[in-house]
Amino acid sequence: MKKDIVNATLLWIVLSILGWILVLNWNIFPPALAREARIVDDAFNLLTVLAVPVFTFVVAILIYAAFRFRSPGGLEDGPPIQDTGRILTAWLVVTIALAGGILINPGFVGMSEVRGEGGADVVIGVTGQRWSWTISYPNGVDVTSYTGELVLPVDQRIQFDITSLDPDVIHSFWIPAFRIKKDAVPGRITQMFITPTETGTFAEDPNVRVQCAELCGQGHAQMSMKVRVVEQAEFDAYLDEILAEGG
Ligand SMILES: [Cu+2]
């Protein structure tokens, strides 16, 4: 039995190392253009790294037991194995400790990091409706997703005041390159704070776009808007440009 525990443990370690190599080298994320996106990606990586040994523990025991303790032949069961309960107790303690740990970090810690502190440098209004977005810029000009784009200044804390036309249905404001999303509810304003940290455009990567993330009807999939994160000077020039055009 002791030899079996050693063998299964070795298999567990090998599978865990393979799993860690896989998850740490496989970049599955879209570009991260905001402070909040990094926090979300870090949380995802941490959870995956912690999940690997839990997953490979089960798989290692399953694989080992299937070969080592298989029935000698025919339809007979293999020999029964008695356990004192120590393994079950250890499993319970470890998994409860892991669950409690991730509840605190990245749970509570990550949530407060994403929320951030302080006011906003720029306030931008967002209104969803079937099936378009309207952006209200700080200079009072509205731009819709039919013809315009969402232009944002880099390195500024942006407050999005999000709502949905009333009456309409619930939509969800989501920019994959920023990760965070927030419901747009008729008759109510929800807020989302984002600090873009890098410039980028929809042309460079299609994840730099607004996409409705709440199934809202026939045109849901087309309910998107190009996003462009630019330097402050370019943002100011854009505001002047749309003001001159009269919105
Ligand atoms: Cu929608």
Side-chain angles (χ1 to χ4, degrees), residues 128-133 164 168-173 184 211-217 219-221 223-224:
Q129 70 183 89
R130 284 171 292 177
W131 286 281
S132 69
W133 297 101
S164 183
D168 201 277
V169 298
I170 296 175
H171 301 277
S172 183
F173 181 69
Q211 179 66 56
C212 183
E214 178 69 59
L215 187 58
C216 58
H220 167 68
M223 195 171 158
S224 65

Side-chain angles (χ1 to χ4, degrees), residues 56-151:
T56 54
F57 180 77
V58 176
V59 170
I61 289 177
L62 193 68
I63 292 174
Y64 189 78
F67 286 98
R68 173 71 178 79
F69 300 113
R70 66 189 302 151
S71 164
L75 297 171
E76 303 256 322
D77 278 352
I81 295 167
Q82 303 287 333
D83 177 54
T84 56
R86 270 180 308 167
I87 294 176
L88 288 179
T89 310
W91 174 255
L92 204 63
V93 168
V94 169
T95 50
I96 286 175
L98 270 175
I102 62 174
L103 187 69
I104 295 166
N105 183 36
F108 295 131
V109 174
M111 282 294 279
S112 89
E113 268 177 25
V114 163
R115 213 170 286 135
E117 279 176 16
D121 302 309
V122 188
V123 180
I124 290 179
V126 176
T127 307
Q129 70 183 89
R130 284 171 292 177
W131 286 281
S132 69
W133 297 101
T134 301
I135 304 300
S136 304
Y137 285 99
N139 61 358
V141 178
D142 286 357
V143 168
T144 76
S145 53
Y146 290 122
T147 51
E149 51 185 354
L150 172 57
V151 180

